[in-house]
């Protein structure tokens, strides 16, 4: 039994079953045994790989996206360049190297990294120290100024609540202990979350209260201070409930979400429709969601891949494989999506209405 499982069991024994969101929050962010707290989970030697760790092209194109969005808004100076959940800092290092070609961008940027993990803050310092970053636990701590923000695979790591519909009522999914093991069960009927449309018995519905709070904060800042934000993650862009999407990954393979709490990464599909709606309610413009493949194509990933391959012919196969992994529909191209938000009606790069998703 992991040390965290012992803590979770004691808590359940004392207070009764806990909502899935509380379980997920403990697994990911317990101050001593939380998954992200003490380790770097990324890359080959870790549990999973993300787009910026696959290829430098990803961060570079996002850097150009940020710089173009900044230029289109009159190059405000100073501004807050914010990354939520920066992992190893790879995306931002690639982004700043590429965006440095846009005069004034790096000089005007005050770099803020929203990160709770001490282990990853250290990695970020190693990758980004020369830009004198500042760290915040929450976006609220970043001072008020024009905001240009990016979040890749951040929202999928925020705790979700899960509900099941039984006889027309919502019951929350709870983690309890039965026969000496952690198990999933249901709470009595509750009324604090609205029933989705067309809800059928047995349907699992997920909500992400932390994601909604952060999207509303981004939207309010963009509306007040100006700027643009890009949210990339795996998930869906529909109103219909998508069922149970909570998953555990360890050593690059799926695992049981209740096995080894604190030792596996837990994520859930991001509900882009809700993030967009919530930030619009806070005053921002939410642009039509694009697939990651379509956005990277629009930003010129094929040209960039060709340039890299020309500069290093011995790496051509590796570059082509990375390009396919990031853009092909059966790889990350379609499941991963991008949502752009802005404080105005200027289309962010790749989000003008004409482009198909
Ligand atoms: N964006 C990076 C890392 C993704 S992993 C990449 O694409 O490689 C998720 C990141 O979000 C990690 O840096 C993790 O520590 C951070 N994170 C998770 N939950 C968080 C929270 N509630 N507040 C701040 N950071 C969080």
């Amino acid at each position: 039994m992991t040390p965290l499982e012992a803590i979770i069991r004691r808590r359940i024994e004392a207070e009764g079953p806990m909502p899935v969101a509380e379980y997920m929050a403990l697994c990911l962010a317990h101050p001593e045994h939380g998954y992200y707290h003490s380790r770097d989970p990324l890359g080959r030697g870790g549990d999973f790989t993300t787009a910026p760790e696959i290829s430098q092209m990803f961060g570079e194109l996002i850097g150009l996206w940020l710089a173009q969005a900044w230029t289109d808004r009159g190059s405000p100076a100073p501004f807050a360049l914010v990354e939520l959940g920066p992992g190893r800092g790879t995306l931002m290092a690639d982004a700043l190297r590429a965006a440095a070609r846009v005069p004034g961008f790096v000089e005007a940027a005050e770099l803020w990294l929203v990160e709770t993990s001490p282990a990853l803050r250290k990695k970020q310092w190693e990758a980004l120290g020369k830009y004198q970053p500042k760290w915040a636990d929450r976006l609220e701590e970043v001072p008020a100024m024009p905001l240009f923000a990016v979040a890749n695979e951040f929202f999928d790591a925020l705790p979700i609540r899960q509900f099941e519909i039984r006889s027309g009522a919502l019951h929350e999914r709870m983690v309890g202990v039965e026969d000496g093991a952690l198990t999933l069960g249901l709470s009595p009927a509750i009324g604090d979350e609205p029933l989705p449309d067309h809800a059928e018995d047995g349907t699992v519905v997920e909500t992400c209260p932390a994601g909604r709070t952060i999207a509303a904060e981004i939207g309010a800042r963009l509306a007040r201070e100006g700027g643009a934000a890009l949210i990339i993650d795996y998930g869906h862009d529909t109103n219909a409930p998508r069922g149970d999407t909570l998953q555990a990954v360890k050593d690059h393979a799926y695992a049981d979400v209740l096995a080894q709490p604190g030792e596996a990464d837990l994520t859930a599909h991001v509900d882009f429709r809700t993030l967009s709606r919530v930030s619009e309610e806070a005053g921002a413009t939410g642009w039509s969601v694009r697939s990651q493949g379509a956005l990277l194509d629009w930003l010129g990933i094929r040209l960039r891949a060709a340039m890299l391959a020309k500069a290093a012919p011995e790496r051509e196969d590796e570059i082509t494989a990375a390009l396919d992994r990031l853009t092909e529909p059966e790889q990350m191209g379609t499941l991963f999506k991008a949502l752009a938000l802005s404080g105005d009606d200027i289309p962010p790069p790749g989000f003008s209405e004409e482009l198909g998703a």
Side-chain angles (χ1 to χ4, degrees):
M1 190 184 311
T2 65
L4 187 57
E5 180 167 353
I7 293 170
I8 289 171
R9 280 165 177 259
R10 273 203 301 279
R11 199 176 285 192
I12 291 170
E13 275 151 24
E15 297 166 21
M18 62 173 68
V20 164
E22 189 180 335
Y23 173 77
M24 195 172 168
L26 285 168
C27 287
L28 293 178
H30 183 276
E32 203 180 335
H33 306 292
Y35 179 73
Y36 283 112
H37 182 82
S38 57
R39 82 187 77 209
D40 168 10
L42 291 147
R44 282 214 187 88
D47 290 316
F48 61 96
T49 301
T50 56
E53 302 297 333
I54 291 169
S55 168
Q56 69 186 76
M57 297 187 284
F58 187 80
E60 289 169 347
L61 293 172
I62 286 176
L64 296 177
W65 187 96
L66 290 163
Q68 185 65 50
W70 175 76
T71 307
D72 291 343
R73 285 163 182 76
S75 311
F79 73 94
L81 178 60
V82 172
E83 182 169 3
L84 300 152
R88 289 177 169 170
T90 309
L91 187 162
M92 189 51 80
D94 292 336
L96 283 165
R97 193 180 60 249
R101 299 203 196 141
V102 176
F105 181 81
V106 174
E107 295 71 22
E110 195 172 289
L111 180 58
W112 282 88
L113 305 173
V114 178
E115 175 61 69
T116 41
S117 157
L120 288 172
R121 280 187 177 202
K122 188 163 168 282
K123 288 267 173 189
Q124 291 155 19
W125 170 254
E126 287 161 17
L128 295 164
K130 69 171 172 174
Y131 299 105
Q132 298 176 300
K134 299 187 174 88
W135 279 269
D137 284 328
R138 297 147 50 84
L139 181 58
E140 282 82 348
E141 295 163 31
V142 175
M145 56 175 119
L147 172 70
F148 291 84
V150 61
N152 186 61
E153 292 213 43
F154 167 73
F155 282 90
D156 68 4
L158 299 175
I160 53 154
R161 296 179 74 180
Q162 288 190 319
F163 304 90
E164 226 172 286
I165 298 165
R166 290 281 170 92
S167 313
L170 274 186
H171 299 257
E172 184 151 13
R173 286 185 140 195
M174 312 287 284
V175 177
V177 179
E178 222 173 80
D179 298 332
L182 293 178
T183 49
L184 278 175
L186 291 181
S187 75
I190 50 165
D192 71 329
E193 292 271 339
L195 271 177
D197 301 336
H198 317 298
E200 285 169 25
D201 250 34
T203 306
V204 173
V205 182
E206 296 177 340
T207 66
C208 184
R212 290 197 301 236
T213 304
I214 296 168
E217 173 69 14
I218 295 173
R221 276 177 181 250
L222 292 175
R224 236 176 13 236
E225 317 289 340
L230 185 62
I231 295 168
I232 302 180
D233 224 308
Y234 81 115
H236 52 269
D237 181 32
T238 60
N239 285 321
R242 296 296 304 237
D244 175 6
T245 75
L246 182 61
Q247 68 177 37
V249 167
K250 186 164 173 53
D251 298 331
H252 299 269
Y254 292 113
D256 181 336
V257 296
L258 296 178
Q260 297 187 284
E263 298 294 320
D265 186 35
L266 293 183
T267 59
H269 276 219
V270 170
D271 171 0
F272 284 96
R273 199 59 73 88
T274 297
L275 295 186
S276 183
R277 178 176 51 76
V278 163
S279 43
E280 288 205 317
E281 283 164 6
T285 305
W287 298 84
S288 301
V289 169
R290 304 290 184 222
S291 68
Q292 173 172 300
L295 179 65
L296 293 177
D297 260 337
W298 193 94
L299 292 171
I301 193 166
R302 275 162 221 286
L303 193 60
R304 184 70 187 127
M307 281 168 61
L308 287 174
K310 201 168 164 201
E314 72 285 0
R315 289 183 53 218
E316 187 172 353
D317 289 352
E318 178 200 325
I319 293 162
T320 307
L323 171 69
D324 289 348
R325 193 153 168 208
L326 294 174
T327 58
E328 285 297 316
E330 67 277 12
Q331 302 202 47
M332 295 173 80
T334 307
L335 177 61
F336 279 75
K337 297 177 177 61
L339 167 66
L341 305 168
S342 65
D344 48 52
D345 290 330
I346 305 165
F351 288 83
S352 56
E353 287 308 325
E354 310 86 69
L355 178 76

